[in-house]
Amino acid sequence: MIYRLFGLGKVTLTIDRTNWKWGKSNLNIFMLGVVYKGIAIPLYWHMLDKRGNTNHLERCELIERFIKQFGKDNLEMIVADREFVGEKWFNWLTNNHIPFAIRIKKNSKVKNHHGKLVQIKELLRHVSHQETYRHGRILTVDGCLVRVFAKRDKDYGLVIVATNQLETVDAMTSVGKLRLYLLV
């Protein structure tokens, strides 16, 4: 109903999760929203019967609900924060030709130009506060070939985004206001 109400076509989707306690009960809500004019409008949500993060099967199920109802042709990209990573998840998105731009953790393992496994932050030490940096090589993160972009936030911490759209010029524009898109 919301999708049709706003007359949406091809959309960027965001996934997010929140977990809090209500008395002795854990409330853990996993949501999928559509990005519309800088906000995320929830389309689907699932109450998880556990604490903590989702697994790749729960993520796939939520994306498949969208595809079943609206079609893959209406899905432009998935954006998500750092908790939504992992080899099975990244490969499922890539194998199903679903573009993503997902923040990754600064301790994610990649190979440097010598072939040595290092934390990705080691490759990005030089990134300044004023720039969006596009890493020169395609890297493997969580078993998936990705293009990596990085910038510094207002506190000079690294914001690192991985995308399976290897030819993209700037994945940061896809998730530039990621915090505004996240549902909770």
Side-chain angles (χ1 to χ4, degrees), residues 25-86:
S25 299
N26 283 304
L27 300 175
N28 193 358
I29 306 169
F30 176 46
M31 292 177 257
L32 178 140
V34 60
V35 176
Y36 179 75
K37 295 188 178 182
I39 62 167
I41 302 168
L43 288 181
Y44 304 110
W45 53 89
H46 180 70
M47 297 295 293
L48 299 172
D49 192 23
K50 63 180 183 178
R51 292 188 64 176
N53 199 359
T54 58
N55 62 47
H56 82 283
L57 294 174
E58 292 162 328
R59 299 170 196 166
C60 297
E61 180 182 313
L62 214 54
I63 301 302
E64 286 173 341
R65 282 180 66 188
F66 175 89
I67 291 170
K68 183 177 178 184
Q69 186 164 1
F70 302 108
K72 194 187 294 185
D73 292 344
N74 285 318
L75 198 167
E76 184 172 354
M77 176 174 281
I78 303 286
V79 297
D81 211 357
R82 293 169 289 204
E83 76 177 85
F84 298 101
V85 296

Side-chain angles (χ1 to χ4, degrees), residues 79 151 159 161 170-181:
V79 297
K151 68 178 188 175
V159 176
V161 173
D170 185 6
M172 288 295 187
T173 59
S174 299
V175 292
K177 294 188 170 105
L178 182 60
R179 280 281 164 219
L180 295 178
Y181 296 161

Side-chain angles (χ1 to χ4, degrees), residues 68-123:
K68 183 177 178 184
Q69 186 164 1
F70 302 108
K72 194 187 294 185
D73 292 344
N74 285 318
L75 198 167
E76 184 172 354
M77 176 174 281
I78 303 286
V79 297
D81 211 357
R82 293 169 289 204
E83 76 177 85
F84 298 101
V85 296
E87 185 170 348
K88 290 178 183 176
W89 170 238
F90 278 10
N91 282 309
W92 182 84
L93 290 168
T94 299
N95 292 337
N96 284 281
H97 308 287
I98 299 172
F100 67 78
I102 297 177
R103 284 190 66 188
I104 60 174
K105 298 173 184 176
K106 64 184 178 184
N107 64 351
S108 297
K109 299 288 188 177
V110 297
K111 288 186 179 177
N112 66 15
H113 66 282
H114 298 296
K116 181 181 175 193
L117 206 57
V118 298
Q119 292 183 358
I120 196 161
K121 67 182 179 182
E122 297 301 318
L123 302 182

Side-chain angles (χ1 to χ4, degrees), residues 129 151-159:
H129 191 56
K151 68 178 188 175
R152 300 268 176 198
D153 64 17
K154 63 181 170 119
D155 299 321
Y156 295 94
L158 276 172
V159 176

